[in-house]
């Protein structure tokens, strides 16, 4: 029998509800339970696939090809379990389904209403996901803040749901801001009280209140919240700021979160803290530092590259070295200033992206990396950049480009024949695909396996028309689809790590199990730094 945990947020957005949900997921997984998670987003977009990364951060891609909210990435990284398309539900998707059913006559002429039609759709989504995943625990995070008009159908749906499956099988956690007023040097509980009152007016009584503040708000405030909000004293849990995201599960455990959650849900499994301790040790025992330049066009908003940053963090733990990120706006890079712009970078990473803006600067950065043997890691667009750079500067195809950027020129990257003429939405390659790895390559050295599986999210591909020419000039094709047809990874034999991959390896990286390419890349950054330090000393 599945038990359900619902996490809501109060007072302000951006409180790290997702981290609380993912941390609890981790703590329950460490008690040997099978945990699944889902996120409900009250906005009207059908999925986050078409949303601007500057506004909404990265789109996290699941193995089955779902384009989901970036919080889902935290769940996967924290719990180590792969999620699915069903893990993300937006108001847009709910309304879309309901309206389609109405058009198909499925409601048999009834008046179609928020209650029960929209709420029923939400409820069936929760139970379907629980059934499909066969999980012991289903954690559902409701996006937005209590009081928003948009999230009301979701709150109503979870209220009804708790009655249907039995209140004792459900746990409501409300994460709220407890502001600190520096003038009077005190924490204030009133916003929490108001938020809980609002939640209760919708029929949901929280079992646990997680208070978010930088420091510890203190016993007196917790007692006050417990008393005014009708929860037991030990069910008010402090969620304070930690210096590293992955320390949040331990902090919340020490503050009692999983213990009270298990008491309420009558779970008696024992907790194994060893993996958490080992991870914290690897985080705290790093020595020295390397600098990685991230050359992209969304550098102003780091959330656009959240999983890439996390991949580098994981690689920093597994290599025992701090990784400094140097954000370089590709639009500002020119042939003249590239050396100056990338000064101090021990490795260069060009992440994924869409559209023409800033690509010339990325090509210049890639050329700089190849010619100066600075480790280069190109992800998706970054791989396509490395093919264009090689075609232009090594194979003499001066006008080499991608079909995405130009109608004319030599399109070394282009749509595949079977994609041409289709609508944009239908042509994206999404989700996990197998990739055959050539031995004696950077890619093989990273994975040590001949067949790997990584996730994709792109429309354009390496153009096979230029495959013979480019390989005859020295481009190494280190990964392909199992039938050899689609090029998935390219390398330049320049004596260091120079690898471009058509997939997004960042989506499978985990804090305890760094994605092999990220690990290998940072390893080479370390070697590169050491070699330079050695050269400078001589
Ligand atoms: N814009 C490129 C494509 O559609 C690359 C996409 C990406 O980097 N995710 O193929």
């Amino acid at each position: 029998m599945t038990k359900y945990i619902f996490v809501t947020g109060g007072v302000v957005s951006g409180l790290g509800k997702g981290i609380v949900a993912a941390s609890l997921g981790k703590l329950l997984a460490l008690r040997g339970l099978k945990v699944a998670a889902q996120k409900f987003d009250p906005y009207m977009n059908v999925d986050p696939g078409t949303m601007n990364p500057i506004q909404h951060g990265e789109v996290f891609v699941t193995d089955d090809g779902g384009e989901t909210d970036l919080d889902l990435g935290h769940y996967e990284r924290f719990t180590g379990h792969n999620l699915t398309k069903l893990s993300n539900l937006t108001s847009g998707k709910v309304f879309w389904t309901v309206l389609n059913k109405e058009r198909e006559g499925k409601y048999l002429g009834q008046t179609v209403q928020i209650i029960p039609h929209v709420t029923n759709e939400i409820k069936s989504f929760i139970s379907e996901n629980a059934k499909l995943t066969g999980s012991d625990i289903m954690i559902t995070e409701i996006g937005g803040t209590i009081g928003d008009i948009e999230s009301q159908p979701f709150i109503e749906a979870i209220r009804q749901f708790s009655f249907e499956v039995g209140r004792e099988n459900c746990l409501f956690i409300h994460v709220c801001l407890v502001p600190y007023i520096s003038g009077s040097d005190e924490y204030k509980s009133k916003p929490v009280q108001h938020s809980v009152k609002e939640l209760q007016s919708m029929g949901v009584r929280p079992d646990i209140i997680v208070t978010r503040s930088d420091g510890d708000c203190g016993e007196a405030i917790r007692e006050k919240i417990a008393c005014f909000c009708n929860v037991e004293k030990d069910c008010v849990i402090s969620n304070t700021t930690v210096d590293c995201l992955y320390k949040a599960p331990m902090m919340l455990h020490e503050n009692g979160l999983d213990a009270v959650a298990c008491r309420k849900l009558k779970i008696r499994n024992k907790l194994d803290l060893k993996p958490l301790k080992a991870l914290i040790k690897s985080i705290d025992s790093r020595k020295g530092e390397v600098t990685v330049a991230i050359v992209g066009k969304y550098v102003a908003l780091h959330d656009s590259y959240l999983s890439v940053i996390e991949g580098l963090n994981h690689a920093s733990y597994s290599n025992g070295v701090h990784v400094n990120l140097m954000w370089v706006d590709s639009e500002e890079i020119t042939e003249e200033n590239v050396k100056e712009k990338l000064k101090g970078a021990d490795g260069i990473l060009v992440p994924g992206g869409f559209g023409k803006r800033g690509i010339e600067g990325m090509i210049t950065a890639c050329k700089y990396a190849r010619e100066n043997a600075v480790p280069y890691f190109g992800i998706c667009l970054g791989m396509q950049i490395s093919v264009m750079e090689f075609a232009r500067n090594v194979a003499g195809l001066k006008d080499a480009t991608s079909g995405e950027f130009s109608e004319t020129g030599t399109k070394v990257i282009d749509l595949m024949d079977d994609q041409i003429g289709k609508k944009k939405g239908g042509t994206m390659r999404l989700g996990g695909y197998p990739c055959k790895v050539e031995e004696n390559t950077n890619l093989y050295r990273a994975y040590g396996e001949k067949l790997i599986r990584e996730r994709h999210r792109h429309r354009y591909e390496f153009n096979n028309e230029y495959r013979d020419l480019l390989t005859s000039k020295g481009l190494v094709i280190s990964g392909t689809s199992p039938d050899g047809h689609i090029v998935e990874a390219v390398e330049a034999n320049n004596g260091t790590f120079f690898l471009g991959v058509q997939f997004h390896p960042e989506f499978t990286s985990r804090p305890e199990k760094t994605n092999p390419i990220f690990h290998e890349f940072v390893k080479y950054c370390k070697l590169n730094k050491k070699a330079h330090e050695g050269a400078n000393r001589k």
Side-chain angles (χ1 to χ4, degrees), residues 25 215 251 295 306 331 345 370 414 474 492:
M251 175 270 296
V295 180
L306 187 66
E331 278 193 288
R370 185 179 51 76
D414 207 355

Side-chain angles (χ1 to χ4, degrees), residues 78-103:
F78 273 60
T79 63
H81 290 306
N82 280 358
L83 301 176
T84 66
K85 276 182 184 166
L86 281 184
S87 313
N88 201 184
L89 182 67
T90 67
S91 293
K93 204 191 269 177
V94 180
F95 283 99
W96 185 267
T97 316
V98 170
L99 291 176
N100 277 326
K101 283 190 179 167
E102 188 271 339
R103 291 291 82 185

Side-chain angles (χ1 to χ4, degrees), residues 168-430:
E168 65 285 4
N169 296 314
C170 291
L171 187 75
F172 289 100
I173 301 181
H174 193 49
V175 183
C176 283
L177 175 77
V178 173
Y180 171 71
I181 312 289
S182 59
S184 52
D185 185 27
E186 53 181 359
Y187 286 94
K188 290 292 189 187
S189 68
K190 191 71 103 210
V192 178
Q193 297 177 42
H194 279 296
S195 182
V196 171
K197 195 166 140 195
E198 181 106 33
L199 186 61
Q200 282 176 338
S201 73
M202 289 188 267
V204 172
R205 192 179 59 77
D207 301 292
I208 296 176
I209 295 173
V210 174
T211 59
R212 179 75 186 95
S213 49
D214 276 336
D216 180 6
C217 61
E219 204 53 42
I221 290 286
R222 279 192 291 276
E223 270 175 28
K224 201 164 161 186
I225 291 173
C227 171
F228 289 123
C229 298
N230 232 355
V231 298
E232 289 151 81
K233 229 170 72 186
D234 63 352
C235 290
V236 182
I237 310 286
S238 279
N239 175 14
T240 55
T241 303
V242 280
D243 61 4
C244 169
L245 204 62
Y246 300 108
K247 292 185 182 175
M250 187 61 106
M251 175 270 296
L252 289 166
H253 163 71
E254 282 164 357
N255 293 342
L257 179 63
D258 57 311
V260 289
C262 287
R263 186 178 80 213
K264 296 255 161 210
L265 289 172
K266 302 198 171 47
I267 293 169
R268 287 183 194 86
N269 301 30
K270 251 180 81 86
L271 174 68
D272 176 11
L273 272 179
K274 275 199 276 328
L276 272 191
K277 285 187 181 154
L279 176 62
I280 292 174
K281 196 167 165 211
S282 76
I283 294 169
D284 288 339
S285 57
R286 288 172 292 171
K287 288 193 185 68
E289 58 177 44
V290 293
T291 301
V292 170
I294 300 186
V295 180
K297 69 170 177 178
Y298 313 117
V299 289
L301 187 80
H302 300 177
D303 265 3
S304 316
Y305 303 117
L306 187 66
S307 294
V308 172
I309 299 171
E310 289 310 320
L312 289 169
N313 282 336
H314 307 159
S316 128
Y317 314 148
S318 57
N319 280 287
V321 68
H322 291 273
V323 174
N324 278 338
L325 302 182
M326 182 170 138
W327 296 94
V328 187
D329 184 345
S330 60
E331 278 193 288
E332 289 172 8
I333 297 183
T334 62
E335 281 284 351
E336 292 69 42
N337 69 13
V338 62
K339 196 171 167 203
E340 195 50 37
K341 286 269 178 203
L342 297 174
K343 201 168 143 194
D346 302 305
I348 296 169
L349 189 155
V350 177
F354 290 83
K356 193 174 175 175
R357 193 161 58 81
I359 62 147
E360 289 305 322
M362 295 176 201
I363 294 179
T364 307
C366 179
K367 177 170 183 256
Y368 175 85
R370 185 179 51 76
E371 291 182 344
N372 295 285
V374 181
Y376 177 85
F377 179 10
I379 298 179
C380 207
L381 176 65
M383 173 266 200
Q384 301 174 350
I385 291 289
S386 67
V387 175
M388 287 184 255
E389 189 281 319
F390 193 91
R392 285 186 192 181
N393 301 318
V394 182
L397 301 171
K398 291 280 170 248
D399 61 349
T401 184
S402 157
E404 182 178 6
F405 313 133
S406 171
E407 278 303 317
T408 56
T410 306
K411 294 184 228 170
V412 289
I413 304 291
D414 207 355
L415 292 176
M416 293 249 174
D417 286 347
D418 63 350
Q419 293 174 308
I420 293 170
K422 283 195 189 159
K423 274 196 202 151
K424 274 204 164 169
T427 52
M428 194 90 106
R429 182 142 73 106
L430 284 171

Side-chain angles (χ1 to χ4, degrees), residues 36-87:
Q38 61 187 169
K39 166 114 196 257
F40 290 168
D41 282 310
Y43 50 71
M44 288 300 291
N45 303 63
V46 174
D47 64 42
T50 50
M51 291 170 94
N52 182 344
I54 302 272
Q55 222 184 65
H56 205 73
E58 100 181 345
V59 173
F60 184 80
V61 181
T62 54
D63 187 77
D64 67 347
E67 293 181 283
T68 67
D69 184 87
L70 50 75
D71 266 331
L72 273 290
H74 288 311
Y75 289 119
E76 281 209 2
R77 286 185 283 271
F78 273 60
T79 63
H81 290 306
N82 280 358
L83 301 176
T84 66
K85 276 182 184 166
L86 281 184
S87 313

